[in-house]
Amino acid sequence: MNTDPSRFSICMISIYLALLLGGSASGSGISLEPGHTGSDYSFSGDYSHGQISVTGSGTYYLTNNLTASSSEYAIQVNTSDVTLVGNGKSVNGTGGNGITSTSDGTNTTITQFSTISGFDTAIYSQGAGGEISENTVSGNGGAIVVKGTGTQVTGNNASGNSENGIYVTGTNIQITENIVMDNTWSGVNTTGQYNSITKNQVKDNQKNGIACQNDAHITRNTVTGNGRDGILTWDNVTISENIVSDNQRYGMKTINNVTFSNNTVNNNREEGIFTGKYSYVFGNDIFNNQGYGLYAGNYATIIDNNLSTNEGYGIYAGNYANVSDSIVNGNQWGGVVAGNYAGVIHNLITGNQGSGIDVSNNAQVINNTVSDNLGSGVFSLHGAEIHRNMLTSNYDCGINGWGTANITDNMIQDSRYGLFLPDNSVNVHVTGNTISGSTDTGIYIDGGGWNVGSGYIYNNNLLNTVSAGGTGYLSYFTWTNPQGPQPGTNVRGGPYVAGNYWGNQEGTGWSDLQEPHVSGYSSLPYEIVRESGVYDTAPLVRSLNTISSTNDEWANTYPHGNISYLHLSNATYISQAKPGADLLNVSVDNKPVGPVSNWTFKNIMSDHSISSSGQPTPGQVHAFFALNTTWGSAPLTVAFTNQSLGSPNSFYWNFGDGSTSTVRDPVHTYTIPGVYSVSLKALNNQTGGVVMLNSAVTVTAGVVPSPTPTPVPAEITAAFSADRTTGAAPLQVQFTDHSTGHPTSWIWDLGDGNTSRLQNVTHVYSSKGSFSVSLTAQNDISTGTLMKKEYIIIT
């Protein structure tokens, strides 16, 4: 309980003067004496069995504990401008009201009662204004009831009552810094408007933590462990900077026009936040709730939130919603679901168990980073605008687009299907995309079965083993520029926009093997699927000069990769930091040029390189961790080492077997065989970050057999060698993998913009320079990476 020192001093002086003068002290307070009858107050009985009625303005205080003699009330204030000081004494009774002010009792202050107990209502305030402060109220029916307007309810402890802790029907009430716990009904319940509820501790009440009507302000409260909703409100409410956790229903449940800002909402039994139309949701941290992280109605604005590891969707929003600049990670049903005409823009959406983004008709999906989701990166219905997204390692599809859609300038990597379209989609425009590393098909046309599709698929960079196919009619779509080759920079940097580039990641695809041409396209038609009769009539090929574009883990360079350009042409590259990072430097031909946002190569006459590097934003948390082991028999003890950036000072681990920890570097023992995913949420006082390692720990039922007929995946240590490391260009180098731990896949970065997924690689370096080479080797349980800086020197 917070006590104002100046108020405490005044009370002590008043008591001293009253005792010194034998009853009353002018201007400092009047002691309430048994047997007194006058215009100021009457005291029937005594402190052990009495009743007090105050009829004159002034300050009054108890000199002993009071036990009520009447079931009507113990103390009643019947006039205005009264201050009733408990002086650390208690008031007890067996029914009725403990302390009550009538409607005539305006500006009544009731303060410093050590205990008020045994009443139907402990404090019943009906007059306007005044203050109820620093009282302890327990063991009553209702604790504090306020019916007037403008009253301040401050610093009280209203706990263990059989009805509401604080019940307000008046308006413009300030409810501040109270402790409201273990009440049978709600903690704070207001039915009036324009009330302010601030800095209260509202815990373990059997109904709602805080329930209020329209136009309230609910700020900086701790609301935990309540039997229904943490916060329940109506319209036009502002809810900010609260901690709302472990409530038995919703963390927050509201209606329309509600503003949520900078709240922490976690571990509630249903949705973290459930709200209606026109809500504004900004800067909230919503995690580990058993329903959706956020359910918002139509026209909601959802900006800069962190939603992770909720058991439903991270965000489920209605029509015309705007979802932007948020981190949505590790949610069990999926990342973001939004309705018709919604906008999903500039979000980081990773590691969700369903689709990363799922939108209805006429939605916009722009500039998102979407990776490692178990469904599609983006699933959309008719009329979608899907532009400039980075979609990586989504298990099912990079983009699953139904109906009319404009799909342009996206980077789609390492999914089963890069782009999945039914053949009844009409007016489709698919241009400027890079689709690479698809394990099944880059562009899959599915049989729709009830309509004839139409549209254009051209000027895409397709780097897959199988770049087009499916069960539907490929012939419904046009696979080259319908206007014929047109001057302009194509997706490969060439000077004409024509068909698609039909390559693969090893550089051995059809377009890769064609002779470079000054136009950047070929007049030799390319049959998209053998014996299908469907052709790209002006497929793209390499131009005469190459620019190698790379970046580190904190930056983006676009376009990315090894791209050929027309002799004497120009090419502009864009450099930008990834979310939570700052652009540090851009190097052109291995020379630093500073943190520039774009760079134009003019009148290209030779090969070039451009690389971007970044660094984490100071104070921005990026969650990382390491394990000392990932494989073994039960019981298996694993030591986890936090490696997070941004100086986090609090941590939340989920070990995948129902156990959690808040230790910085925990040690956990798995006792039941299985495969477990592990997540870490790291926070500092400003930001947070979340990382999840899927299938991080494998626990077997018995001792792992050794030796075993087939290699057992183990922790990988990457290693490699080269048959030569120096020489004149062109220099052919043979790289040999020596990694231990039985890797099953390999990713080489050869330093000059070229990559490979072969185990052992032969590569020709054609330009002078020093090239760093890295190898990442993987199996089902481990990943190892080795980089050798400036390993290859070409003279």
Side-chain angles (χ1 to χ4, degrees), residues 403-407 419 421-431 443 445 451-460 473-483 500 528 534-535:
T404 305
N406 289 322
I407 302 171
L419 172 61
L421 287 174
D423 63 4
N424 58 13
S425 299
V426 296
N427 296 324
V428 172
H429 289 79
V430 179
T431 63
I443 299 177
I445 305 300
N451 200 354
V452 176
S454 63
Y456 307 104
I457 303 172
Y458 67 93
N459 193 32
N460 299 287
Y473 290 95
L474 280 68
S475 59
Y476 289 170
F477 304 100
T478 298
W479 294 84
T480 193
N481 189 339
Q483 298 176 348
N500 301 283
I528 293 168
V534 179
Y535 291 89

Side-chain angles (χ1 to χ4, degrees), residues 24-77:
S24 65
S26 176
S28 59
I30 301 170
S31 63
L32 294 166
E33 301 294 341
H36 178 87
T37 300
S39 60
D40 49 359
Y41 73 94
S42 61
F43 191 151
S44 62
D46 56 22
Y47 274 101
S48 64
H49 188 72
Q51 186 181 47
I52 300 170
S53 176
V54 179
T55 53
S57 301
T59 298
Y60 302 84
Y61 60 87
L62 297 186
T63 62
N64 209 333
N65 299 322
L66 175 64
T67 299
S69 61
S70 170
S71 61
E72 183 181 2
Y73 61 83
I75 304 174
Q76 184 176 76
V77 177

Side-chain angles (χ1 to χ4, degrees), residues 1-226:
M1 179 184 301
N2 295 322
T3 302
D4 184 340
S6 62
R7 178 184 297 161
F8 182 79
S9 300
I10 292 170
C11 288
M12 293 299 100
I13 293 170
S14 300
I15 293 169
Y16 174 78
L17 291 174
L19 293 173
L20 182 65
L21 298 174
S24 65
S26 176
S28 59
I30 301 170
S31 63
L32 294 166
E33 301 294 341
H36 178 87
T37 300
S39 60
D40 49 359
Y41 73 94
S42 61
F43 191 151
S44 62
D46 56 22
Y47 274 101
S48 64
H49 188 72
Q51 186 181 47
I52 300 170
S53 176
V54 179
T55 53
S57 301
T59 298
Y60 302 84
Y61 60 87
L62 297 186
T63 62
N64 209 333
N65 299 322
L66 175 64
T67 299
S69 61
S70 170
S71 61
E72 183 181 2
Y73 61 83
I75 304 174
Q76 184 176 76
V77 177
N78 297 293
T79 189
S80 63
D81 301 308
V82 171
T83 297
L84 188 61
V85 182
N87 193 21
K89 308 303 182 183
S90 65
V91 178
N92 301 295
T94 57
N97 298 317
I99 301 174
T100 179
S101 65
T102 66
S103 58
D104 294 327
T106 58
N107 298 318
T108 296
T109 295
I110 302 169
T111 185
Q112 298 180 16
F113 286 85
S114 64
T115 305
I116 305 174
S117 64
F119 297 98
D120 294 335
T121 302
I123 298 176
Y124 187 40
S125 173
Q126 300 177 73
E131 179 179 309
I132 301 170
S133 63
E134 301 181 35
N135 304 287
T136 297
V137 184
S138 65
N140 303 280
I144 298 173
V145 176
V146 180
K147 289 197 170 183
T149 62
T151 303
Q152 296 186 36
V153 182
T154 305
N156 303 281
N157 188 330
S159 302
N161 301 282
S162 61
E163 295 180 13
N164 297 299
I166 299 174
Y167 180 68
V168 172
T169 62
T171 59
N172 293 303
I173 308 298
Q174 306 289 321
I175 303 171
T176 306
E177 296 185 341
N178 301 281
I179 298 173
V180 190
M181 299 174 60
D182 297 307
N183 297 289
T184 304
W185 291 7
S186 296
V188 178
N189 189 349
T190 74
T191 59
Q193 293 179 292
Y194 308 108
N195 296 308
S196 175
I197 304 170
T198 306
K199 297 182 182 179
N200 302 281
Q201 295 186 47
V202 186
K203 300 182 178 181
D204 300 321
N205 300 285
Q206 293 186 25
K207 292 187 178 180
N208 302 303
I210 297 174
C212 65
Q213 292 283 348
N214 300 341
D215 303 292
H217 290 265
I218 304 172
T219 305
R220 300 176 67 183
N221 303 280
T222 299
V223 187
T224 64
N226 298 286

Side-chain angles (χ1 to χ4, degrees), residues 5 40 50 163 230 291 361 363 375 394 397 411 479 521 532 582 625 729 734 750 771:
D40 49 359
E163 295 180 13
N361 299 313
N394 299 289
C397 305
M411 304 288 288
W479 294 84
Y521 70 91
S532 66
D582 296 322
F625 66 87
Q734 172 68 47
L750 301 169
F771 302 97

Side-chain angles (χ1 to χ4, degrees), residues 502-518:
W502 303 92
N504 60 33
Q505 291 185 305
E506 288 72 36
T508 59
W510 186 90
S511 290
D512 301 318
L513 299 178
Q514 304 305 304
E515 286 294 324
H517 195 274
V518 293

